Amino acid sequence: ITHMAFSRDGRYLAITHARTGGLNVIDVTQMREVAAEHYGNDSSGAAFAADGRLFTVADDGYLRVYDQALRPIKQIKTKSGNLPFSVAPDPSGKFVAVGFFDAKAVDVYRTSDLGLEFTADTSKLTGQGSLTIAQWSADGQKLLAAGTYRDHGYPIAIWEQGGHAPMREQVVGNNTIMSITPCGNGFALATADPQFSLLDAGGKPFLSKSSLAPDLRDMGSEFRISRDGGQVRFGLEAFGKRPMLFNVSRATLDTAGERPDLDAPRQSGIPVTDWNGTPAPKFAGKPFVLDQYETARSFAITPDQKQFLLGTAYWLRAYDAQGNPLWKQAIPSDAWSIRSEEHTSELQSHHDL
């Protein structure tokens, strides 16, 4: 599931999907499916207009609209990118904004015929990344966009006058902006840190709260396990900082010290490269076959060196020593670190919760 959106009256829940690629709509008053469509590509955006029409986007490049009875009316190819990511009808119901995974662009279409009304001016955006998320203010006078775009921080782009005024930027976070939602006269915003923020009417943060969960990214050799599998060392902060020691049998957590019986993941002896944070890890120079948007995060060789494991954003994958796939297991989030046990067939991994 990539996105969920309720209708304004709370009756319908629209759900879009990755991998299976499509749309399902549930009538929550009767708990039954009332509409479904298979797009054949990932879909990550859906939103209901105030009058009950439903708008979706998918990686096939189409913007779609459904009537109040959830019957498909029309679909059109988007103009400024091939991978539309988000969709947002304005409060008046006259326009719908689209953000893109592959472009620093925001298109605004007429809801009446899905004709292109205008493309917001993003010529001043000189940083890297894309504007995946598009949104309107509660009164429809401001058009906002953000996402993976960064330039000395992660800003939101803001256009007054319903998207026609010159763009201005407001830095609001230090990681990818995942969601923007109107909240009173301002906005609620979430980032991938994760962090939750409230913004005033001008887009300036006045309240922010970061997650208390451990940051398990990029631990590298700091992720260690005792040879009997009973002790796991990991960091509470990125790069293995603030190391802690978890006792598996006692379920206790203590400050970690240096111990000679704690082993790091084995990563030499099998020719796996480009596995740390890329969508194109390789075995002996040949890219692995991964899912679309799947990013490799971790790599470890089993003690007998007959197999190795590749942790990604979607899967825990196992291969033999020649690079042939053996199995894969879906995981709830990125597998930042993995290691197989010395004396058992079990596997230890750390991922975000």
Side-chain angles (χ1 to χ4, degrees):
I1 293 175
T2 55
H3 189 76
M4 296 187 292
F6 275 102
S7 58
R8 299 296 178 91
D9 61 5
R11 179 178 178 180
Y12 296 117
L13 175 63
I15 303 168
T16 59
H17 305 270
R19 304 179 190 169
T20 55
L23 169 74
N24 299 89
V25 183
I26 307 298
D27 183 337
V28 298
T29 64
Q30 301 181 37
M31 294 305 295
R32 65 183 182 92
E33 183 180 81
V34 292
E37 185 170 355
H38 181 66
Y39 297 153
N41 293 84
D42 293 356
S43 176
S44 56
F48 286 91
D51 64 2
R53 287 176 296 172
L54 174 62
F55 295 84
T56 69
V57 289
D59 285 358
D60 57 4
Y62 283 97
L63 166 66
R64 294 172 169 87
V65 59
Y66 301 79
D67 65 15
Q68 289 87 344
L70 301 172
R71 296 170 299 201
I73 303 174
K74 189 174 184 178
Q75 63 182 39
I76 57 102
K77 280 280 190 179
T78 51
K79 175 180 180 294
S80 294
N82 295 315
L83 300 173
F85 190 85
S86 67
V87 60
D90 81 327
S92 74
K94 295 180 180 179
F95 305 108
V96 59
V98 175
F100 295 90
F101 186 85
D102 61 338
K104 287 184 288 189
V106 179
D107 286 349
V108 177
Y109 299 86
R110 296 182 296 273
T111 59
S112 58
D113 60 1
L114 296 190
L116 181 67
E117 181 71 9
F118 67 92
T119 297
D121 181 8
T122 59
S123 59
K124 293 182 179 180
L125 295 179
T126 58
Q128 301 296 315
S130 55
L131 298 175
T132 52
I133 305 300
Q135 189 55 270
W136 302 89
S137 59
D139 61 6
Q141 293 303 301
K142 296 183 183 70
L143 174 64
L144 291 81
T148 62
Y149 176 79
R150 65 260 184 210
D151 185 10
H152 305 292
Y154 286 75
I156 53 174
I158 304 172
W159 297 266
E160 306 277 353
Q161 300 175 19
H164 295 284
M167 186 204 72
R168 61 182 175 89
E169 294 179 62
Q170 173 66 57
V171 174
V172 294
N174 297 306
N175 210 321
T176 299
I177 296 168
M178 306 297 292
S179 178
I180 308 171
T181 302
C183 182
N185 293 326
F187 307 90
L189 177 142
T191 71
D193 295 88
Q195 177 176 294
F196 170 79
S197 298
L198 291 178
L199 315 181
D200 63 20
K204 185 176 181 179
F206 66 88
L207 176 66
S208 294
K209 182 65 176 178
S210 297
S211 171
L212 298 177
D215 187 342
L216 304 176
R217 294 175 295 173
D218 300 316
M219 279 191 287
S221 62
E222 296 303 313
F223 178 54
R224 304 179 187 180
I225 299 173
S226 62
R227 296 184 182 113
D228 64 1
Q231 306 279 339
V232 181
R233 185 182 192 267
F234 64 95
L236 295 180
E237 298 179 0
F239 309 107
K241 295 180 179 179
R242 291 185 62 196
M244 305 296 290
L245 190 66
F246 179 67
N247 187 302
V248 176
S249 61
R250 298 178 182 175
T252 58
L253 191 65
D254 299 299
T255 302
E258 292 299 327
R259 290 181 45 168
D261 62 334
L262 297 176
D263 294 333
R266 300 168 188 83
Q267 295 176 334
S268 61
I270 291 180
V272 175
T273 59
D274 301 323
W275 55 265
N276 190 5
T278 78
K282 299 178 180 65
F283 178 85
K286 182 180 179 180
F288 288 94
V289 177
L290 302 182
D291 292 347
Q292 189 175 27
Y293 308 132
E294 187 178 5
T295 301
R297 298 297 189 191
S298 53
F299 160 65
I301 301 171
T302 57
D304 59 10
Q305 298 197 30
K306 293 182 179 179
Q307 300 179 21
F308 65 90
L309 304 151
L310 189 68
T312 76
Y314 300 156
W315 302 95
L316 182 61
R317 297 176 177 270
Y319 301 83
D320 65 22
Q322 289 72 47
N324 300 305
L326 299 174
W327 52 262
K328 66 180 182 179
Q329 173 65 50
I331 54 177
S333 186
D334 302 63
W336 294 110
S337 299
I338 52 177
R339 185 190 179 281
S340 61
E341 292 289 355
E342 184 74 39
H343 297 300
T344 74
S345 60
E346 295 179 355
L347 179 75
Q348 293 283 345
S349 67
H350 273 174
H351 52 72
D352 290 334
L353 299 178

